[in-house]
Amino acid sequence: LYFRDEPYFGISQACGEICGRILQLKQDNAERFAHICNALKEEIGEGLHLLTSAIAPIVEIVGHGHRISTNRINGPDLDRASEQFNAAFRKFFRIITADPSVFGGPLVLCLDDLQWADSASFELIELLLTDRQSSGLMIVGCYRSEEVDETHVLIKTIGDLKCTVNGQNSLNSQNSQHRNPQLFIMTEIHLEELSTLHINNVLMEMLSIDNANRTMPLATLCQKRTKGNPFHLMTFLNMLQEESYLEFNVGSFQWTFDMEIIEKKTSASLNVVQMV
């Protein structure tokens, strides 16, 4: 979700990859591809025209008779078009998750940097999660908690989803004889900073080094420079490799590094954010 001003960007990227997997079926399983293609045409129908504005590769599946929508919609038709677009998106996911064998199991949609997502994307995510006719879908969303506050649309969306889950649970507890299937399960995982020990385990695994004492000095420095942030850790390690402070010795067939040089060359910055 890197382009903040482009609606549905992250979801569109993910759906583009999904379309690529479906197109692969054209060679691997022509019968299944034809079934999905026909289902998209029959169940979404005219909504495909709107859907192509966000998922351009879908044209390659259903054929060029459904041209990519580029026209702006204004005035009283905007709300109607929005409803049709959301309905088309829902039907798209219903179709592709109906057959788990297409993806080898349930479909997992991973969306990173949700703190940058637009409100339209959050509305769509909420629609997908609360769709009773869609099964086999898991959405994994990641965001930087330090970049959002209580007024952020992401926090509001999370609050709305929690209310939906709690409301469903309350209804089921009041009427135990006629329980409705749970709409979705919501789990929050707060990632703490990586400790020096955690970083050392990462380094040992990445560098194929069995001796923990050998990597501990580098792990200690990495923790100091990155504050235990996983993304910053990988950025820092990549920088060390690019600058040849961390090298693979073909002769000894092992990774080598000089702590004195690394300490000296990276001491000008307090942390990796300033460095990069």
Side-chain angles (χ1 to χ4, degrees):
L1 296 170
Y2 300 109
F3 294 85
R4 308 184 192 193
D5 297 329
E6 186 174 337
Y8 309 113
F9 179 80
I11 296 176
S12 297
Q13 292 291 100
C15 289
E17 294 184 22
I18 291 171
C19 288
R21 181 70 66 88
I22 295 173
L23 285 169
Q24 185 63 39
L25 290 175
K26 200 171 185 178
Q27 297 178 348
D28 300 340
N29 193 324
E31 184 179 348
R32 187 174 295 161
F33 173 80
H35 173 75
I36 294 175
C37 181
N38 291 332
L40 290 172
K41 291 178 180 178
E42 293 173 5
E43 297 186 33
I44 300 180
E46 294 182 1
L48 282 170
H49 176 67
L50 291 171
L51 203 57
T52 56
S53 64
I55 315 175
I58 202 171
V59 173
E60 300 177 43
I61 299 174
V62 299
H64 290 276
H66 300 275
R67 294 176 298 175
I68 296 177
S69 175
T70 57
N71 296 330
R72 287 185 172 273
I73 302 174
N74 299 302
D77 292 333
L78 183 60
D79 290 339
R80 179 171 169 270
S82 179
E83 290 178 2
Q84 290 178 334
F85 176 81
N86 290 337
F89 237 112
R90 269 185 162 179
K91 290 177 181 178
F92 174 76
F93 275 91
R94 288 173 188 171
I95 293 167
I96 63 176
T97 59
D99 186 357
S101 62
V102 174
F103 302 99
L107 176 63
V108 181
L109 192 64
C110 297
L111 301 172
D112 199 5
D113 288 320
L114 283 176
Q115 74 277 0
W116 292 345
D118 58 287
S119 58
S121 292
F122 288 123
E123 180 182 351
L124 195 56
I125 290 171
E126 194 166 352
L127 285 170
L128 294 176
L129 287 173
T130 56
D131 185 10
R132 289 193 178 277
Q133 297 183 49
S134 181
S135 60
L137 173 65
M138 170 185 273
I139 297 180
V140 179
C142 306
Y143 69 96
R144 302 176 193 175
S145 56
E146 69 274 11
E147 294 190 20
V148 298
D149 56 27
E150 293 181 357
T151 63
H152 196 284
V153 63
L154 169 60
I155 302 303
K156 292 180 178 179
T157 301
I158 292 175
D160 290 342
L161 291 172
K162 285 181 178 179
C163 288
T164 300
V165 173
N166 293 335
Q168 180 67 61
N169 292 339
S170 177
L171 288 174
N172 283 337
S173 64
Q174 295 174 16
N175 192 356
S176 57
Q177 294 182 345
H178 299 88
R179 288 177 174 269
N180 290 317
Q182 193 166 4
L183 275 173
F184 58 90
I185 298 173
M186 186 172 179
T187 304
E188 289 186 89
I189 302 175
H190 180 69
L191 298 181
E192 302 290 345
E193 295 178 353
L194 295 176
S195 67
T196 302
L197 181 60
H198 291 147
I199 294 176
N200 199 40
N201 290 336
V202 171
L203 291 175
M204 291 175 64
E205 185 70 25
M206 289 182 63
L207 306 180
S208 299
I209 297 176
D210 296 329
N211 187 348
N213 292 329
R214 186 177 165 217
T215 52
M216 183 55 76
L218 181 58
T220 301
L221 181 65
C222 285
Q223 212 289 329
K224 180 179 179 181
R225 295 288 187 262
T226 67
K227 307 301 180 184
N229 183 297
F231 173 75
H232 293 164
L233 172 64
M234 299 311 298
T235 302
F236 183 67
L237 292 174
N238 285 333
M239 184 274 295
L240 293 182
Q241 184 181 6
E242 289 172 0
E243 297 295 332
S244 299
Y245 303 146
L246 179 64
E247 294 183 294
F248 185 75
N249 189 308
V250 179
S252 62
F253 211 68
Q254 63 181 358
W255 287 91
T256 61
F257 52 90
D258 189 316
M259 281 305 305
E260 185 176 347
I261 293 177
I262 294 176
E263 180 83 44
K264 180 180 179 180
K265 294 295 185 180
T266 63
S267 61
S269 299
L270 295 176
N271 56 56
V272 72
V273 177
Q274 294 173 324
M275 194 174 303
V276 300

